[in-house]
Amino acid sequence: MTIPKKSEKNYFETQPTCPSCRTSIEMYRALYILSKFDGQSHSVRQCGACGLRFMDPMPNIEWLHKYYQQRTLYGADSLHAQDYENAIRDKVDLLKNLVLPHLKNQSVEDHLAVDFGAGSGYVVKAFIELGFKAFGIELNLSAPKRARELFNVELINGDLI
């Protein structure tokens, strides 16, 4: 399977506005250039209004589906769970600040967290460490096995379409 090139019709679209808040392109800030995983140059941009980070030009669903089916599993460079401890700690801290304040004294055990695009499952592991019921969904076919081996967490293969 070959990932379509940027020049192929309908696979990429430069966003005139933020995908989240619809602020104009003038408010974007380029953060960094992604590696040329498909032979094309992509940048990660951040909206100055809402803070959303997104890829530009933005690929469509068909391109993403092909890409995630054929690429190596993101976040699974090592086969040793201890190599992910810092990443898990960072996600736990991030989730404490971003998610827990919105629960307003509700128990985390009463909430289900789903990580779409879960990669190797380390974010699912972070949710579980905080007490959530959690699982992940990932297109890459090797993800569920790797997540169980590394973190003893549940991932399923799936798509949003």
Side-chain angles (χ1 to χ4, degrees):
M1 182 182 305
T2 303
I3 296 175
K5 297 294 183 205
K6 184 176 179 179
S7 60
E8 291 185 40
K9 187 179 178 186
N10 297 324
Y11 273 100
F12 293 89
E13 178 183 331
T14 297
Q15 295 296 106
T17 61
C18 171
S20 177
C21 72
R22 304 294 181 213
T23 298
S24 72
I25 195 168
E26 291 80 30
M27 291 294 291
Y28 295 179
R29 184 172 61 122
L31 297 179
Y32 51 88
I33 302 296
L34 295 170
S35 63
K36 293 184 177 184
F37 53 80
D38 62 354
Q40 305 298 315
S41 179
H42 303 275
S43 62
V44 172
R45 299 190 177 269
Q46 185 168 21
C47 176
C50 72
L52 176 74
R53 292 181 181 195
F54 56 95
M55 192 165 109
D56 185 52
M58 191 174 294
N60 68 14
I61 294 296
E62 291 84 15
W63 186 94
L64 288 170
H65 194 269
K66 288 179 181 181
Y67 172 71
Y68 282 107
Q69 284 292 333
Q70 75 182 40
R71 76 183 287 241
T72 57
L73 184 59
Y74 174 75
D77 296 334
S78 174
L79 299 175
H80 307 287
Q82 65 270 18
D83 293 339
Y84 299 90
E85 285 303 313
N86 286 337
I88 293 169
R89 295 285 68 76
D90 287 345
K91 292 299 179 189
V92 166
D93 289 343
L94 178 70
L95 295 170
K96 281 180 182 176
N97 291 321
L98 289 178
V99 177
L100 294 183
H102 297 285
L103 295 182
K104 299 182 174 134
N105 299 321
Q106 299 173 36
S107 171
V108 294
E109 293 87 9
D110 295 334
H111 291 83
L112 175 65
V114 181
D115 182 13
F116 294 94
S120 63
Y122 71 90
V123 174
V124 175
K125 176 71 172 174
F127 271 116
I128 289 171
E129 285 190 12
L130 285 171
F132 287 87
K133 296 175 216 154
F135 72 95
I137 298 174
E138 171 63 49
L139 280 171
N140 189 290
L141 298 175
S142 63
K145 182 176 186 259
R146 182 65 58 87
R148 281 190 298 278
E149 289 171 351
L150 286 172
F151 311 116
N152 194 30
V153 300
E154 196 59 37
L155 262 63
I156 59 172
N157 287 119
D159 198 339
L160 295 177
I161 304 176

